Amino acid sequence: QVQLVESGGGLVQAGGSLRLSCAASGSIFSINTMGWYRQAPGKQRELVATITSSSTTNYSDSVKGRFTISRGNAKNTVYLQMNSLRPDDTAVYYCILTMAMRTAWGQGTQVTVSS
């Protein structure tokens, strides 16, 4: 079993910044990929960013140059630094961990960007 807990969401004005955190626990293999999805009303679920065990990163086109995903020094932690936030970044952000062809999901944290 894998458990993921997100934190760091909140309300921020356009142009501001937030940093999301995710801590994973349970039976986790050292080779894995972690990342962030987001879901906004009326939009498809979007894979925002991923980072592999070897720190290879990928980003969706909508966040390139604004968001940065990184791993922490603690085991199985991941961060999403979000800069230059826009109202259309408003969504519930979900941390995910993929290993052995299965994906675990966190409960999500709300990010609201006001104009």
Side-chain angles (χ1 to χ4, degrees):
Q1 295 181 336
V2 176
Q3 297 82 44
L4 302 173
V5 180
E6 305 100 330
S7 62
L11 175 64
V12 65
Q13 290 186 325
S17 298
L18 285 173
R19 189 178 76 158
L20 305 183
S21 300
C22 176
S25 62
S27 299
I28 302 169
F29 295 109
S30 59
I31 300 175
N32 62 70
T33 296
M34 297 186 71
W36 296 89
Y37 269 94
R38 66 184 181 185
Q39 179 75 65
K43 295 183 179 180
Q44 294 187 95
R45 185 171 57 228
E46 178 184 22
L47 182 59
V48 175
T50 60
I51 184 166
T52 68
S53 302
S54 59
S55 297
T56 298
T57 59
N58 284 283
Y59 299 91
S60 68
D61 289 340
S62 62
V63 307
K64 285 180 180 177
R66 300 189 298 120
F67 291 9
T68 302
I69 189 170
S70 61
R71 287 183 179 265
N73 292 329
K75 294 290 186 181
N76 303 310
T77 59
V78 67
Y79 303 96
L80 186 68
Q81 179 66 46
M82 305 185 294
N83 298 327
S84 302
L85 283 162
R86 306 164 181 168
D88 60 2
D89 292 319
T90 296
V92 177
Y93 284 72
Y94 297 91
C95 181
I96 59 99
L97 184 153
T98 297
M99 63 182 189
M101 297 184 288
R102 62 183 119 145
T103 299
W105 291 72
Q107 293 300 305
T109 185
Q110 176 71 49
V111 171
T112 302
V113 184
S114 65
S115 59

